[in-house]
Amino acid sequence: MVEITILGGSNEVGRIAILIEANKERFLFDYGIDVQTGNPPIRPEFPLTAMFISHAHIDHSGLLPELYKRGWKGNIYGTKPTLGLCNLLLEDSIKVQRKRGQVPHYHPQHIKIMNSFWKTLDYNKPVEFKNSSARFLDAGHIPGSASPLLETGGKRILYTGDIKFADTKLIKGTRIWDEKIDVLIMESTYHYKNHPDRKELEDDLRELVQNTFYNNGIVLLPSFAVGRTQELLSILQDLGFPIFLDGMGIEATEIILNYPKFLRSPKKLRKAFGKARKIMKSKDRKEVLNKPCIVISTAGMLSGGPIGYYIKRLYQREDCAIALTGYQVEGTVGRRLMDTGRYVNEGLDVKLRMPPHFMDFSAHCGRDNLIKLVKKTNPEKVIVIHGDGTTEFAEELRGMGFDARSPANGEKFKA
Ligand SMILES: [Zn+2]
Ligand SMILES: [Zn+2]
């Protein structure tokens, strides 16, 4: 018998943590933080047998060092890029927590301890425990992202992490795995819609850039450091326009380039990154505003990062443009801009004259592919997490004949 508890991230995008117990072994999958509030999931009790991390994004990894602060001494399994990227994002998360006026959940020394317990696990390489075994499948979401498959208590349990089946410029999407799965724990960020055609979307972005240049304007592309920054660089590199990179995306790109085998065309990305101008000191920012250019800068949801500097100076210019290119979590500055057209941040509350665009360059599966995944794997049980409106989606899947549910955070159930 297997017991599963969703400790966080059930009916929300953020603070993912999943506990799976069978035969006296206890595994933790992801241990994230709520990106907007810094709230943790429910803390798992010790002992834990081992922990698996699907990918580096902070909603999946943000609390990992806290396990070691609390004295845990177990192994954590992740891919190589995930380790490199986690170090960058976790260091930053401490700074963000401090900036919010919170006492950080952990300190840099706990990241070091975490590193000493890190076990690199490549895709499709099994790791054995006394009564269980596990391996990673490719998740197609960001470089190094994985979907852990655990065999325990006579069940095969797949946790998708964040997944994408379609290819992007940066990485190849994953295919729906040809695996027997008894319990499918799935993300459902975009259960309510499909994504636009990727090629058309890329053309739209390139056109927006060209039109803005024609007007002598600047294009602001707020972007997540990991994944989106590199994707935008790859899409825009051959236009021949100057691209400035600002914020954490610079270091994230350096780290990602260390793992070429996880990329679709590392050469192209290396070239694009080489050509891009990197803003390393705040005094260099002034120069960016002098002539038409593209600025790719954190934060992707506009809460924090250098992007605020540029918006503050450009929001009254109709000849400039801003495009949000990722998921905007409820409560973020970006979500507010999307819903109301107002930019409310750092003492400003303004309507942008610089027209805002919303372009869905998602690294997640859209609705049809999520449903396809359930139909093709045809599991005994489907657990829907990581989304707004997960209960509705579970109900929909039940309507299609699946035993699907979206448990509340903290609810323990048997599989
Ligand atoms: Zn993610
Ligand atoms: Zn996520």
Side-chain angles (χ1 to χ4, degrees):
M1 191 198 40
V2 181
E3 286 185 319
I4 302 174
T5 317
I6 307 297
L7 297 171
S10 184
N11 209 334
E12 57 191 341
V13 176
R15 56 169 182 173
I16 301 291
I18 301 157
L19 183 68
I20 303 181
E21 305 168 83
N23 294 325
K24 299 205 174 90
E25 288 179 332
R26 307 176 78 239
F27 299 97
L28 182 65
F29 292 84
D30 285 354
Y31 195 38
I33 197 169
D34 185 300
V35 180
Q36 182 56 13
T37 60
N39 288 339
I42 298 166
R43 290 175 169 81
E45 280 167 26
F46 298 146
L48 292 171
T49 309
M51 125 120 241
F52 292 84
I53 166 88
S54 68
H55 67 291
H57 281 152
I58 217 78
D59 54 326
H60 298 256
S61 71
L63 223 59
L64 293 179
E66 192 250 15
L67 293 172
Y68 297 95
K69 187 185 166 205
R70 281 165 56 209
W72 187 53
K73 290 191 169 62
N75 288 337
I76 168 169
Y77 293 89
T79 64
K80 262 197 185 143
T82 301
L83 173 62
L85 292 166
C86 269
N87 271 269
L88 174 70
L89 296 181
L90 293 170
E91 294 276 357
D92 181 69
S93 182
I94 295 177
K95 283 183 216 152
V96 172
Q97 292 171 49
R98 283 215 183 94
K99 243 190 223 161
R100 278 200 199 107
Q102 296 166 333
V103 180
H105 293 291
Y106 48 85
H107 301 288
Q109 69 261 34
H110 304 116
I111 300 178
K112 281 210 185 90
I113 304 174
M114 177 195 88
N115 288 339
S116 71
F117 282 100
W118 192 284
K119 299 276 177 221
T120 294
L121 192 60
D122 261 337
Y123 300 138
N124 294 311
K125 294 266 170 10
V127 42
E128 307 284 342
F129 302 91
K130 207 167 161 217
N131 302 312
S132 322
S133 74
R135 68 193 153 92
F136 278 151
L137 306 179
D138 184 359
H141 170 61
I142 58 167
S145 64
S147 305
L149 174 64
L150 176 72
E151 290 191 55
T152 190
K155 300 278 179 201
R156 291 165 62 88
I157 305 161
L158 184 93
Y159 160 49
T160 60
D162 291 353
I163 33 166
K164 188 164 185 78
F165 295 138
D167 295 343
T168 61
K169 283 260 191 291
L170 184 63
I171 56 170
K172 274 200 172 309
T174 189
R175 304 294 169 251
I176 297 180
W177 318 278
D178 204 6
E179 299 278 352
K180 184 184 174 311
I181 293 164
D182 299 312
V183 182
L184 176 69
I185 305 172
M186 67 184 295
E187 71 123 320
S188 61
T189 319
Y190 284 98
H191 66 83
Y192 56 91
K193 71 168 216 174
N194 283 314
H195 300 303
D197 178 84
R198 191 76 174 196
K199 179 82 191 50
E200 274 172 36
L201 193 65
E202 287 171 12
D203 289 345
D204 287 350
L205 177 64
R206 292 158 67 96
E207 199 179 306
L208 172 71
V209 169
Q210 275 161 332
N211 288 341
T212 312
F213 266 74
Y214 185 73
N215 293 325
N216 279 318
I218 293 170
V219 183
L220 297 184
L221 299 174
S223 174
F224 309 124
V226 172
R228 196 59 36 82
T229 293
Q230 298 76 33
E231 178 73 7
L232 293 173
L233 258 181
S234 307
I235 294 169
L236 299 172
Q237 52 127 8
D238 60 346
L239 279 178
F241 297 135
I243 301 178
F244 286 90
L245 282 179
D246 200 346
M248 216 172 36
I250 300 172
E251 263 182 277
T253 312
E254 281 167 356
I255 293 170
I256 284 172
L257 282 169
N258 288 332
Y259 309 102
K261 77 166 190 184
F262 289 86
L263 303 174
R264 200 171 158 194
S265 29
K267 258 191 202 152
K268 267 193 192 151
L269 179 63
R270 186 163 286 125
K271 193 174 150 210
F273 184 61
K275 272 201 292 186
R277 302 272 306 274
K278 293 108 192 152
I279 301 298
M280 306 308 280
K281 298 188 204 90
S282 50
K283 71 172 175 37
D284 296 341
R285 286 193 184 123
K286 269 196 200 121
E287 178 207 347
V288 179
L289 304 169
N290 289 341
K291 54 178 189 299
C293 63
I294 301 164
V295 182
I296 303 175
S297 171
T298 46
M301 302 185 204
L302 304 181
S303 309
I307 192 70
Y309 171 94
Y310 299 102
I311 297 177
K312 222 178 212 169
R313 282 155 188 84
L314 298 175
Y315 74 89
Q316 287 176 311
R317 280 181 55 180
E318 276 168 320
D319 57 339
C320 295
I322 181 167
L324 298 184
T325 58
Y327 189 80
Q328 303 295 316
V329 170
E330 203 92 47
T332 56
V333 180
R335 179 62 172 260
R336 186 148 181 185
L337 179 66
M338 215 170 121
D339 291 344
T340 68
R342 291 194 80 78
Y343 174 77
V344 185
N345 193 24
E346 296 170 10
L348 270 188
D349 179 352
V350 292
K351 198 165 170 56
L352 304 186
R353 293 189 70 194
M354 163 178 66
H357 299 260
F358 304 99
M359 294 182 167
D360 177 8
F361 278 98
S362 178
H364 295 265
C365 277
R367 175 184 168 80
D368 287 355
N369 277 341
L370 289 173
I371 292 172
K372 228 187 253 172
L373 168 68
V374 180
K375 285 189 173 159
K376 196 170 163 207
T377 51
N378 193 24
E380 284 166 20
K381 272 193 169 48
V382 186
I383 314 298
V384 182
I385 60 165
H386 196 294
D388 297 324
T390 47
T391 35
E392 287 87 336
F393 188 49
E395 199 179 306
E396 235 186 287
L397 291 173
R398 279 200 299 278
M400 296 175 201
F402 295 100
D403 177 359
R405 56 184 300 190
S406 171
N409 287 341
E411 196 186 322
K412 187 182 258 193
F413 54 91
K414 294 179 176 52

